[in-house]
């Protein structure tokens, strides 16, 4: 098994690929936006650890206090993403990556590790059945089927921020909250923008560009949140077919 992993740093961030979208020649707007976002987050203790191959096998996590999600708690790590796909899949890299995170948390005296999940597994969320094998349990829920999973080392647990459970906004238009953490976001925004222009659909894009904005969001969030007719719909990135289903409601 290849156990050669590398952590992104402010020194190697400009030259290392980001796993999700690998570009070796032409610049990619989503990748460059992610690099810029990471350049500030790494200084806050954000960890991006990946298999040192040209493929997709990585984990991304941060201290909960500085994680851009509407989740609150003391002394936890928050896992944004754990993803192994393509050729690396099936080699035990997911286990190595989550075990690295748990070991890191214990070494730093953390109270535990948490992540976003759902009653029914959803795309764009890490495999919750996988992390439950390591002892993660549901510690908080929302009325729309999302869950907060946590592995506590000391009995304490994090929770969704109060506003995250409201899942309502005044704006009735299609409304999308986003940040630049995921390199796919730029292209999905453009897809939705074009569709809405052609089909005369009113849409509002709200960039979450500060930690405070993230902690006060009116919905669960990993880097994307969609509302329609004032109601929260999903944290999934939207392709055109998914968007059409939402707009039919």
């Amino acid at each position: 098994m290849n156990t050669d992993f590398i952590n992104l740093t402010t020194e190697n961030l400009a030259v290392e690929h980001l796993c999700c979208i690998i570009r070796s020649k032409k610049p990619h707007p989503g990748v460059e936006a992610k690099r810029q976002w990471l350049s500030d987050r790494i200084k806050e203790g954000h960890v991006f650890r990946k298999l040192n191959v040209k493929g997709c096998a990585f984990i991304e996590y941060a201290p909960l206090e500085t994680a851009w999600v509407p989740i609150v708690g003391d002394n936890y790590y928050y896992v944004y993403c754990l993803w192994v796909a393509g050729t690396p899949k099936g080699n035990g890299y997911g286990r190595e990556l989550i075990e690295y995170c748990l070991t890191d948390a214990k070494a730093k005296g953390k109270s535990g590790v948490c992540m976003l999940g759902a009653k029914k597994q959803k795309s764009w969320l890490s495999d919750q059945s996988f992390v439950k094998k390591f002892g993660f349990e549901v510690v908080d829920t929302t009325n729309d089927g999302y869950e907060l999973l946590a592995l506590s080392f000391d009995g304490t647990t994090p929770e969704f921020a109060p506003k995250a459970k409201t899942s309502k906004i005044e704006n009735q238009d299609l409304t999308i909250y986003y940040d630049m953490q995921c390199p796919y976001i730029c292209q999905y925004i453009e897809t939705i923008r074009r569709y809405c222009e052609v089909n005369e659909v009113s849409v509002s894009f709200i960039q979450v560009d500060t930690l405070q904005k993230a902690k006060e969001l009116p919905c669960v969030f990993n880097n994307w949140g969609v509302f329609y007719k004032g109601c929260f719909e999903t944290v999934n990135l939207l392709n055109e077919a998914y968007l059409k289903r939402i707009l039919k409601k």
Side-chain angles (χ1 to χ4, degrees), residues 125-218:
L125 290 180
S126 298
D127 185 351
Q128 57 214 36
S129 63
F130 174 74
V131 297
K132 284 180 179 179
K133 296 176 183 178
F134 294 85
F136 281 75
E137 299 177 338
V138 177
V139 296
D140 201 2
T141 60
T142 68
N143 292 331
D144 39 30
Y146 288 91
E147 300 176 333
L148 180 59
L149 305 176
L151 175 56
S152 177
F153 303 148
D154 61 8
T156 64
T157 54
E159 60 187 6
F160 289 117
K163 285 186 179 180
K165 291 188 174 184
T166 61
S167 300
K168 300 283 186 181
I169 59 174
E170 291 185 7
N171 191 349
Q172 298 296 297
D173 294 340
L174 177 68
T175 303
I176 297 174
Y177 293 85
Y178 70 96
D179 65 25
M180 285 299 169
Q181 191 214 347
C182 175
Y184 286 102
I185 284 173
C186 286
Q187 66 194 55
Y188 276 82
I189 286 175
E190 286 309 308
T191 297
I192 294 167
R193 193 191 308 277
R194 285 195 301 269
Y195 179 88
C196 290
E197 285 177 357
V198 170
N199 294 278
E200 298 182 344
V201 175
S202 296
V203 59
S204 297
F205 294 100
I206 301 174
Q207 185 171 358
V208 179
D209 53 9
T210 68
L211 176 63
Q212 182 178 353
K213 286 182 182 179
K215 292 297 186 186
E216 295 177 352
L217 281 163

Side-chain angles (χ1 to χ4, degrees), residues 20-201:
C20 316
I21 300 176
I22 298 174
R23 290 289 185 274
S24 58
K25 294 181 180 178
K26 294 182 179 179
H28 184 285
V31 171
E32 298 315 309
K34 166 90 175 189
R35 287 193 205 279
Q36 182 58 48
W37 189 87
L38 277 174
S39 68
D40 294 325
R41 305 288 80 76
I42 287 173
K43 301 167 188 174
E44 301 167 349
H46 187 108
V47 175
F48 188 114
R49 182 172 177 82
K50 63 172 187 167
L51 188 66
N52 193 20
V53 298
K54 200 168 185 179
C56 184
F58 72 99
I59 189 170
E60 195 169 354
Y61 62 90
L64 182 56
E65 292 83 355
T66 56
W68 286 32
V69 289
I71 297 169
V72 293
D74 293 324
N75 204 34
Y76 263 73
Y77 269 148
Y78 176 80
V79 178
Y80 287 102
C81 194
L82 171 62
W83 193 14
V84 180
T87 303
K89 195 170 183 179
N91 292 291
Y93 296 134
R95 172 176 290 276
E96 289 193 59
L97 288 164
I98 193 65
E99 286 178 346
Y100 176 90
C101 175
L102 299 179
T103 300
D104 185 25
K106 291 175 182 177
K108 289 185 171 63
K110 297 293 182 184
S111 294
V113 178
C114 63
M115 64 184 289
L116 182 64
K119 289 181 180 178
K120 183 179 179 181
Q121 178 68 43
K122 298 178 183 291
S123 58
W124 300 100
L125 290 180
S126 298
D127 185 351
Q128 57 214 36
S129 63
F130 174 74
V131 297
K132 284 180 179 179
K133 296 176 183 178
F134 294 85
F136 281 75
E137 299 177 338
V138 177
V139 296
D140 201 2
T141 60
T142 68
N143 292 331
D144 39 30
Y146 288 91
E147 300 176 333
L148 180 59
L149 305 176
L151 175 56
S152 177
F153 303 148
D154 61 8
T156 64
T157 54
E159 60 187 6
F160 289 117
K163 285 186 179 180
K165 291 188 174 184
T166 61
S167 300
K168 300 283 186 181
I169 59 174
E170 291 185 7
N171 191 349
Q172 298 296 297
D173 294 340
L174 177 68
T175 303
I176 297 174
Y177 293 85
Y178 70 96
D179 65 25
M180 285 299 169
Q181 191 214 347
C182 175
Y184 286 102
I185 284 173
C186 286
Q187 66 194 55
Y188 276 82
I189 286 175
E190 286 309 308
T191 297
I192 294 167
R193 193 191 308 277
R194 285 195 301 269
Y195 179 88
C196 290
E197 285 177 357
V198 170
N199 294 278
E200 298 182 344
V201 175

Side-chain angles (χ1 to χ4, degrees), residues 7-20:
N7 287 19
L8 295 184
T9 67
T10 53
E11 288 74 27
N12 67 16
L13 179 58
V15 296
E16 290 291 337
H17 72 74
L18 300 183
C19 295
C20 316

